[in-house]
Each structure stands twice: as structure tokens, then as C-alpha cells.
Amino acid sequence: MLRIEDTDMARNSDEALQAIIEAFDWVGMDYDGEVYYQSKRFELYKKYVDQLLSEGKAYKCYMSKEELDALREEQMARKERPRYDGRYRDFTGTPPQGVEPVIRIKAPLDGVIRFTDGVKGDINIASSEVDDFIIARGDGTPTYNFVVAIDDALMGVTDVIRGDDHLYNTPKQIVVYNALGFELPRFAHLAMINNEQGKKLSKRDGATDVMEYKHNGFLPEALLNFLVRLGWSHGDQEIFSLDEMRELFDPKDINKSASSYNLDKLLWLNGHYIKNTPNQSLATMLKDFDLHIDGHDKLELLLDATKERGKTLAEIAGQIKMILDAPQNYNEKELKKAFKEDTADILNDFMALLRDSKDSLHLPCDYHALLEKLVAKRQIGFGKIGQPLRVALLGSMSGAGLDEIMAILGVDETLSRIEKILKS
RNA sequence: GACCCUUUCAUCUAGUGGCCAAGGAUGCUAUGUUUUCAACAUAGAUACAGAGGUUCAAAUCCUCUAAGGGUCGCCA
């Protein structure tokens, strides 16, 4: 079930909504039925507000925002926890003019609100910490803590699992459940995720938007797998498919402590999932990285040669482009390192071999045999030819395997790239 | 400031009084394979926040200290 909690009409934005739907969609988390919008259920909530009002469990409060601010400041100055003082709770006089009242719910005056948290265990919060919070604004629209309790009860939600930042909302929502006579669900509060430095996550920490991960070349499976292991575990298992997550996830295995975001592990997981993704699917995803090899006759070879060494789709795309596009310039340092006095001679020899057996060269192993032939003939180490050849073909000393590269390029292109570097 | 929560390798974690001179994973180091880089395989280093208790026995229970986090809206 997917429910959009959009009770604050002033803050709703269509872009934010679309971003949420898009993210769920990309990550492969689907939901039953249609999306619920709280903004379309205001009539329903209004009935419950009226009910509480007529039962004397809620009341109108005529305090202005300015008065409220002043009260809070006073309380802070007295080093108290700022909260509404309940001055209109039993008000019977003539209401002040020109103020649209808000509706507040009557929270218990004394005692303790208790609940058992699925992660943290028993939580006791003094009722004095929970004030008569607002359930409907001056303009009549209801607020989050009120409608969320109603919807959870009405929609049959059994387990409310959410971030730690909602812990203090729980006693408020319990007040609503009790006032309306609804049965309490189970609550579980997850500790927050910190940044790599162990400090709280902020906008500065980069990828806070789910879709940014897509744009950075991450697979949804990897992101989900990474996230599920943050604060949750199932023995020593590290890799979980979506189905396994659904099957094995149990709130009792959730950790109490906050965890830190760890990019290295995400990268490792992403590499794992890339290796296990069929080439055809990779080719489709690679379109988003300005790489179109869908109908390419060497598609399988291209991906086999690169998928083992890229941690993100962006890296894979880059490596494939290096193969497909002849190098425009060469890394000076690497060029110097790879090219010795006899290098040109060796490369010329290799070109001769290439021309001779041109018609029998098709598979990577064919090229490999040719390289071995050269090495044996000239009595040199593989490095003597391998390094300069790689620079010639890719413009860099690191990248895919030589055999694969040449098989993809074909004899003519291989020759032309070698000739080009010899001329420079 | 008040209230609440947390604390095992650098990081994610296993661990619920003896099986723990603490296990797995990522990262790191080394070795092997290799034409390079990866990938892969093998080996290695690194942790119970601190101090007091309880107990024959404590990472596990209790107390305090310290550090981190959350909340205190006519936001969600």
C-alpha cells in the first residue's frame, strides 16, 4: 500500500510527489491497489474532528501564533520543554475576535504513556511531555499526527515501522487511537543513518535523492541490498534479492544503534549485481549513459570485457567508449613508461603478423595465440608488447583485456590504431 | 535547556552469562593467477567507549561517566 501524507496544502508540490512515485518505481518496490492521498480524504477526517469535539475530547483554541511564540520563548528562558499550556482546554468565556481557532486534542494530564517498541523495547514517556497538540489548523485542514493514526487504524496497518525521528510522535498518535477507540498497532523505530563520518546526514552529503543513484550508475538491487543491511542483518548473509528480503525481514532483527553510510560497500554490491546482470539488460540501462550498443554485433564481447571491472554503469560506459572510440591523445606519462627503444620494432613485427593471418582472426583466443607467437619469436616478456599495445588501442594503460579489445575492433582498426601511435 | 534513545574492528554487523584469547562482510596489506587494471583465490592486521559492581564465570546483567543521535511547529 502506498499512502501520500499530504495534509499540508501549503507545502504540497507535484514534483516532490512525482519524485516519490518515480523512486519507488525504479527501485522495484510496488504496491497493491491505487495510491492513497490524504489530501483527498479531508471529509473523512473532518467527521472524526467533529466527533471528538462533541464528545469533549477536543476543543477550540484561540491562541494566536504570536502568543504561542511568546509562550515558547518564556518557557525556553525558564529552561523548560516548550509546550502548549492548555489555556483554552476548559475555556467557556467569549472567544477573542478575529482569530480562526485551531482544534486541539485533550492529551492526558498525568500518568505515563507507554508502548513497546519493536526495536527499542519498552518506552515510557510522561504525559506531561505530551501537550494538547493541534489536530486541525485554523483553515480546517487536519494535521499529520491525527490523520496518520486514523488511516493506519482504518487501513488495517499492523506494524508501523519508521525512523527514530518519529519516536516522539508515537505518544501523540496513541492519544488519538485512545480518543477514537482504535486498537493500537505495533510500533518499531529505526535508528537513523549517518554520513560516512558518522555525523547526521545532510544535503551536503550528496546523493540524498534516490534517483541520483540511478544517474550515478547504480543498480536498484544494489541500493536496496545496501540499505537493508544498514541496521538489519540475517546472520552472515550479505546478498539479498528482493524476494529474500520480503521473506526474511523481521523487525526483531533490527539494530538499535545508528549506522553510517559506507560508499565502498555500496560500490562492491553494485559491482556484484552488474556482474550478475545479463548483457542485454546492461545494454538497455547503458542507454542512459549516452552509450548505444543495443544492436551492436559485438555487444556480448563488449560487456564481457568490461562488466567484471566496472563498479558502476557509468564506469562501464566509459570503458566501452574507450574501446569504441579511437584514442584522440595519449597520456604522456604512460606513453613514456610503455615505450622503450625497441617498442616500435616490436609493434611493427606484430602488425606484420596481424596482416599475415588476417583472415583467421575472429575470437579473442585467436588474437591471444598471435600475441604468444610474437612473444615466443622475439623471446620477450608479455609486458614488452602488452603495455604499448594497450596504450595504442585505448590511449591508457588500464582497461579491458587486449584479446577482447582486438576481437572487438577487428584487424583493420587494430592496425590503424597502432599505426597512429607509431606516427606520433 | 528539557525529555528520550544509542555505544563490538575504519565501516556494516554476528553475539541474549560459559561454545568468544570475539565470527562474517566491505575496505586495507601481502601472496598466487595475469600483458596492465580489475575480477578471482588464499593469508594477514584491526573491535567489546571508560570506570566501578553482581557472578565460580560478563561483550552479554546493574550503576555511574563520556561520546553520539532524536524530539520539543497551525512540517511530515
Side-chain angles (χ1 to χ4, degrees), chain A residues 90-132:
Chain A
D90 299 305
F91 182 72
T92 48
T94 327
Q97 292 298 300
V99 183
E100 279 302 325
V102 299
I103 313 295
R104 288 182 182 272
I105 191 167
K106 286 184 179 173
L109 264 10
D110 43 44
V112 176
I113 298 177
R114 314 170 187 281
F115 63 97
T116 302
D117 186 278
V119 173
K120 297 173 189 296
D122 289 337
I123 305 283
N124 306 310
I125 291 169
S127 298
S128 57
E129 295 295 323
V130 181
D131 60 6
D132 291 349

Short mmCIF file of all heavy atoms in Angstrom, two decimals, chain A residues 90-132:
data_model
loop_
_atom_site.label_atom_id
_atom_site.label_comp_id
_atom_site.label_asym_id
_atom_site.label_seq_id
_atom_site.Cartn_x
_atom_site.Cartn_y
_atom_site.Cartn_z
N ASP A 90 -10.37 24.24 28.95
CA ASP A 90 -11.69 24.27 29.57
C ASP A 90 -12.31 25.66 29.47
O ASP A 90 -13.06 26.10 30.34
CB ASP A 90 -11.57 23.85 31.04
CG ASP A 90 -11.03 22.44 31.17
OD1 ASP A 90 -11.63 21.53 30.55
OD2 ASP A 90 -9.99 22.25 31.84
N PHE A 91 -12.01 26.34 28.39
CA PHE A 91 -12.46 27.71 28.17
C PHE A 91 -13.97 27.78 27.91
O PHE A 91 -14.50 27.01 27.11
CB PHE A 91 -11.69 28.29 26.99
CG PHE A 91 -12.02 29.72 26.68
CD1 PHE A 91 -11.58 30.74 27.52
CD2 PHE A 91 -12.74 30.04 25.55
CE1 PHE A 91 -11.87 32.06 27.22
CE2 PHE A 91 -13.03 31.37 25.25
CZ PHE A 91 -12.59 32.37 26.09
N THR A 92 -14.64 28.66 28.65
CA THR A 92 -16.08 28.77 28.43
C THR A 92 -16.50 30.21 28.14
O THR A 92 -17.66 30.48 27.88
CB THR A 92 -16.86 28.30 29.69
OG1 THR A 92 -16.29 28.93 30.84
CG2 THR A 92 -16.79 26.80 29.83
N GLY A 93 -15.54 31.13 28.20
CA GLY A 93 -15.87 32.55 28.03
C GLY A 93 -16.14 32.92 26.58
O GLY A 93 -16.39 32.07 25.72
N THR A 94 -16.11 34.19 26.29
CA THR A 94 -16.34 34.69 24.94
C THR A 94 -15.03 34.64 24.18
O THR A 94 -14.03 35.21 24.62
CB THR A 94 -16.81 36.16 24.99
OG1 THR A 94 -17.58 36.36 26.16
CG2 THR A 94 -17.59 36.50 23.74
N PRO A 95 -15.01 33.96 23.04
CA PRO A 95 -13.77 33.86 22.28
C PRO A 95 -13.33 35.21 21.74
O PRO A 95 -14.17 36.05 21.42
CB PRO A 95 -14.12 32.89 21.15
CG PRO A 95 -15.60 32.79 21.14
CD PRO A 95 -16.10 33.18 22.47
N PRO A 96 -12.00 35.44 21.64
CA PRO A 96 -11.50 36.69 21.09
C PRO A 96 -11.90 36.85 19.63
O PRO A 96 -12.11 35.87 18.93
CB PRO A 96 -9.98 36.55 21.25
CG PRO A 96 -9.71 35.13 21.57
CD PRO A 96 -10.96 34.51 22.07
N GLN A 97 -12.01 38.11 19.21
CA GLN A 97 -12.42 38.38 17.82
C GLN A 97 -11.25 38.22 16.86
O GLN A 97 -10.10 38.39 17.23
CB GLN A 97 -12.94 39.83 17.73
CG GLN A 97 -14.25 40.06 18.47
CD GLN A 97 -15.38 39.22 17.90
OE1 GLN A 97 -15.72 39.35 16.73
NE2 GLN A 97 -15.97 38.35 18.71
N GLY A 98 -11.59 37.90 15.64
CA GLY A 98 -10.57 37.91 14.58
C GLY A 98 -9.56 36.78 14.61
O GLY A 98 -8.55 36.84 13.92
N VAL A 99 -9.80 35.75 15.38
CA VAL A 99 -8.87 34.61 15.38
C VAL A 99 -9.62 33.36 14.93
O VAL A 99 -10.66 33.01 15.48
CB VAL A 99 -8.30 34.36 16.80
CG1 VAL A 99 -7.30 33.21 16.76
CG2 VAL A 99 -7.65 35.61 17.34
N GLU A 100 -9.10 32.72 13.88
CA GLU A 100 -9.68 31.44 13.45
C GLU A 100 -9.12 30.38 14.39
O GLU A 100 -7.92 30.16 14.43
CB GLU A 100 -9.27 31.12 12.00
CG GLU A 100 -10.10 31.83 10.96
CD GLU A 100 -11.59 31.49 11.08
OE1 GLU A 100 -11.90 30.33 11.45
OE2 GLU A 100 -12.42 32.38 10.84
N PRO A 101 -9.95 29.73 15.16
CA PRO A 101 -9.42 28.79 16.14
C PRO A 101 -8.85 27.52 15.49
O PRO A 101 -9.29 27.11 14.43
CB PRO A 101 -10.64 28.44 16.98
CG PRO A 101 -11.79 28.63 16.05
CD PRO A 101 -11.43 29.77 15.15
N VAL A 102 -7.88 26.94 16.17
CA VAL A 102 -7.39 25.62 15.77
C VAL A 102 -8.08 24.62 16.70
O VAL A 102 -8.61 25.00 17.73
CB VAL A 102 -5.86 25.50 15.93
CG1 VAL A 102 -5.15 26.50 15.05
CG2 VAL A 102 -5.44 25.65 17.39
N ILE A 103 -8.07 23.36 16.30
CA ILE A 103 -8.65 22.33 17.18
C ILE A 103 -7.52 21.56 17.83
O ILE A 103 -6.61 21.08 17.13
CB ILE A 103 -9.53 21.34 16.39
CG1 ILE A 103 -10.48 22.05 15.43
CG2 ILE A 103 -10.28 20.42 17.36
CD1 ILE A 103 -11.51 22.90 16.10
N ARG A 104 -7.57 21.50 19.14
CA ARG A 104 -6.56 20.73 19.87
C ARG A 104 -7.21 19.53 20.52
O ARG A 104 -8.37 19.57 20.91
CB ARG A 104 -5.91 21.61 20.95
CG ARG A 104 -4.97 22.68 20.39
CD ARG A 104 -4.34 23.47 21.51
NE ARG A 104 -3.47 24.53 21.00
CZ ARG A 104 -2.18 24.36 20.71
NH1 ARG A 104 -1.62 23.18 20.90
NH2 ARG A 104 -1.46 25.37 20.25
N ILE A 105 -6.45 18.46 20.63
CA ILE A 105 -6.96 17.25 21.27
C ILE A 105 -6.54 17.26 22.73
O ILE A 105 -5.48 17.79 23.07
CB ILE A 105 -6.45 15.99 20.54
CG1 ILE A 105 -7.20 14.74 21.01
CG2 ILE A 105 -4.94 15.81 20.74
CD1 ILE A 105 -6.97 13.52 20.12
N LYS A 106 -7.37 16.72 23.60
CA LYS A 106 -7.03 16.66 25.02
C LYS A 106 -6.13 15.45 25.30
O LYS A 106 -6.57 14.31 25.20
CB LYS A 106 -8.30 16.55 25.86
CG LYS A 106 -9.09 17.84 25.94
CD LYS A 106 -10.27 17.68 26.88
CE LYS A 106 -11.07 19.00 26.97
NZ LYS A 106 -12.31 18.81 27.75
N ALA A 107 -4.91 15.78 25.63
CA ALA A 107 -3.98 14.71 26.00
C ALA A 107 -4.09 14.51 27.50
O ALA A 107 -4.48 15.44 28.21
CB ALA A 107 -2.55 15.10 25.62
N PRO A 108 -3.78 13.32 27.99
CA PRO A 108 -3.88 13.09 29.44
C PRO A 108 -3.01 14.07 30.22
O PRO A 108 -1.93 14.43 29.79
CB PRO A 108 -3.42 11.64 29.62
CG PRO A 108 -2.77 11.25 28.34
CD PRO A 108 -3.34 12.13 27.28
N LEU A 109 -3.52 14.50 31.37
CA LEU A 109 -2.81 15.48 32.19
C LEU A 109 -1.70 14.85 33.03
O LEU A 109 -0.69 15.47 33.32
CB LEU A 109 -3.79 16.21 33.11
CG LEU A 109 -4.36 17.56 32.69
CD1 LEU A 109 -4.07 17.91 31.24
CD2 LEU A 109 -5.85 17.63 32.95
N ASP A 110 -1.95 13.65 33.47
CA ASP A 110 -0.90 13.00 34.26
C ASP A 110 -0.78 11.53 33.89
O ASP A 110 -1.51 11.03 33.05
CB ASP A 110 -1.16 13.16 35.77
CG ASP A 110 -2.62 12.91 36.09
OD1 ASP A 110 -3.18 11.93 35.55
OD2 ASP A 110 -3.20 13.72 36.85
N GLY A 111 0.14 10.87 34.51
CA GLY A 111 0.39 9.48 34.18
C GLY A 111 1.49 9.35 33.14
O GLY A 111 2.19 10.32 32.85
N VAL A 112 1.61 8.16 32.61
CA VAL A 112 2.68 7.87 31.67
C VAL A 112 2.09 7.18 30.45
O VAL A 112 1.19 6.36 30.58
CB VAL A 112 3.73 6.93 32.32
CG1 VAL A 112 4.80 6.53 31.32
CG2 VAL A 112 4.36 7.59 33.53
N ILE A 113 2.56 7.58 29.27
CA ILE A 113 2.13 6.88 28.05
C ILE A 113 3.19 5.84 27.74
O ILE A 113 4.36 6.16 27.61
CB ILE A 113 1.98 7.88 26.88
CG1 ILE A 113 0.89 8.90 27.22
CG2 ILE A 113 1.64 7.13 25.60
CD1 ILE A 113 0.68 9.97 26.18
N ARG A 114 2.78 4.58 27.67
CA ARG A 114 3.74 3.50 27.43
C ARG A 114 3.44 2.78 26.14
O ARG A 114 2.28 2.65 25.76
CB ARG A 114 3.64 2.43 28.52
CG ARG A 114 3.59 2.89 29.91
CD ARG A 114 3.26 1.74 30.86
NE ARG A 114 3.04 2.27 32.19
CZ ARG A 114 4.04 2.60 33.02
NH1 ARG A 114 5.28 2.38 32.66
NH2 ARG A 114 3.79 3.12 34.19
N PHE A 115 4.46 2.31 25.53
CA PHE A 115 4.27 1.39 24.41
C PHE A 115 5.53 0.55 24.27
O PHE A 115 6.59 0.92 24.77
CB PHE A 115 3.94 2.13 23.11
CG PHE A 115 5.02 3.06 22.62
CD1 PHE A 115 5.92 2.64 21.65
CD2 PHE A 115 5.11 4.35 23.11
CE1 PHE A 115 6.91 3.51 21.17
CE2 PHE A 115 6.10 5.22 22.65
CZ PHE A 115 7.00 4.79 21.68
N THR A 116 5.36 -0.58 23.63
CA THR A 116 6.52 -1.44 23.43
C THR A 116 7.00 -1.26 22.01
O THR A 116 6.27 -1.55 21.05
CB THR A 116 6.16 -2.91 23.68
OG1 THR A 116 5.67 -3.03 25.01
CG2 THR A 116 7.38 -3.79 23.51
N ASP A 117 8.19 -0.75 21.88
CA ASP A 117 8.76 -0.52 20.56
C ASP A 117 9.41 -1.81 20.08
O ASP A 117 10.13 -2.45 20.85
CB ASP A 117 9.78 0.61 20.65
CG ASP A 117 10.30 0.99 19.28
OD1 ASP A 117 11.21 0.31 18.77
OD2 ASP A 117 9.78 1.96 18.72
N GLY A 118 9.14 -2.16 18.83
CA GLY A 118 9.68 -3.40 18.28
C GLY A 118 11.19 -3.43 18.21
O GLY A 118 11.80 -4.50 18.12
N VAL A 119 11.82 -2.27 18.24
CA VAL A 119 13.27 -2.22 18.18
C VAL A 119 13.88 -1.87 19.53
O VAL A 119 14.81 -2.50 20.00
CB VAL A 119 13.74 -1.19 17.13
CG1 VAL A 119 15.25 -1.01 17.17
CG2 VAL A 119 13.31 -1.63 15.73
N LYS A 120 13.34 -0.87 20.15
CA LYS A 120 13.96 -0.34 21.37
C LYS A 120 13.40 -0.91 22.67
O LYS A 120 13.93 -0.64 23.74
CB LYS A 120 13.83 1.18 21.39
CG LYS A 120 14.55 1.85 20.24
CD LYS A 120 14.25 3.34 20.22
CE LYS A 120 14.79 3.98 18.95
NZ LYS A 120 16.24 3.94 18.85
N GLY A 121 12.32 -1.65 22.58
CA GLY A 121 11.74 -2.20 23.80
C GLY A 121 10.75 -1.25 24.44
O GLY A 121 10.14 -0.44 23.74
N ASP A 122 10.59 -1.34 25.74
CA ASP A 122 9.58 -0.54 26.42
C ASP A 122 9.97 0.93 26.46
O ASP A 122 11.06 1.29 26.84
CB ASP A 122 9.40 -1.03 27.86
CG ASP A 122 8.70 -2.39 27.88
OD1 ASP A 122 8.01 -2.69 26.89
OD2 ASP A 122 8.87 -3.13 28.85
N ILE A 123 9.04 1.76 26.05
CA ILE A 123 9.26 3.20 26.07
C ILE A 123 8.20 3.82 26.99
O ILE A 123 7.01 3.55 26.84
CB ILE A 123 9.10 3.82 24.65
CG1 ILE A 123 10.00 3.14 23.64
CG2 ILE A 123 9.33 5.33 24.70
CD1 ILE A 123 11.44 3.52 23.68
N ASN A 124 8.64 4.61 27.94
CA ASN A 124 7.72 5.30 28.84
C ASN A 124 7.93 6.79 28.70
O ASN A 124 9.04 7.28 28.87
CB ASN A 124 8.00 4.93 30.30
CG ASN A 124 7.98 3.43 30.49
OD1 ASN A 124 7.05 2.76 30.07
ND2 ASN A 124 9.03 2.90 31.10
N ILE A 125 6.88 7.50 28.36
CA ILE A 125 7.00 8.95 28.26
C ILE A 125 5.94 9.59 29.14
O ILE A 125 4.75 9.25 29.03
CB ILE A 125 6.88 9.39 26.79
CG1 ILE A 125 8.13 8.92 26.03
CG2 ILE A 125 6.77 10.91 26.70
CD1 ILE A 125 8.07 9.03 24.55
N ALA A 126 6.36 10.47 30.00
CA ALA A 126 5.43 11.14 30.92
C ALA A 126 4.41 11.94 30.13
O ALA A 126 4.75 12.62 29.16
CB ALA A 126 6.21 12.04 31.87
N SER A 127 3.15 11.86 30.53
CA SER A 127 2.10 12.60 29.83
C SER A 127 2.39 14.09 29.84
O SER A 127 1.99 14.82 28.94
CB SER A 127 0.75 12.35 30.50
OG SER A 127 0.43 10.99 30.42
N SER A 128 3.10 14.54 30.86
CA SER A 128 3.41 15.96 30.94
C SER A 128 4.29 16.41 29.77
O SER A 128 4.39 17.59 29.48
CB SER A 128 4.12 16.25 32.26
OG SER A 128 5.29 15.46 32.36
N GLU A 129 4.90 15.45 29.09
CA GLU A 129 5.73 15.79 27.93
C GLU A 129 4.90 15.93 26.66
O GLU A 129 5.38 16.38 25.64
CB GLU A 129 6.80 14.71 27.71
CG GLU A 129 7.82 14.59 28.83
CD GLU A 129 8.66 15.85 28.96
OE1 GLU A 129 9.00 16.44 27.92
OE2 GLU A 129 8.98 16.23 30.10
N VAL A 130 3.68 15.45 26.71
CA VAL A 130 2.82 15.50 25.53
C VAL A 130 1.75 16.56 25.74
O VAL A 130 0.95 16.48 26.66
CB VAL A 130 2.13 14.13 25.30
CG1 VAL A 130 1.26 14.16 24.06
CG2 VAL A 130 3.18 13.03 25.21
N ASP A 131 1.77 17.58 24.89
CA ASP A 131 0.79 18.64 25.09
C ASP A 131 -0.46 18.41 24.24
O ASP A 131 -0.55 17.44 23.50
CB ASP A 131 1.41 20.02 24.82
CG ASP A 131 1.94 20.14 23.40
OD1 ASP A 131 1.73 19.22 22.59
OD2 ASP A 131 2.56 21.17 23.11
N ASP A 132 -1.43 19.28 24.41
CA ASP A 132 -2.66 19.19 23.61
C ASP A 132 -2.32 19.68 22.20
O ASP A 132 -2.43 20.85 21.89
CB ASP A 132 -3.75 20.09 24.21
CG ASP A 132 -4.24 19.56 25.55
OD1 ASP A 132 -3.90 18.41 25.90
OD2 ASP A 132 -4.98 20.29 26.24
#
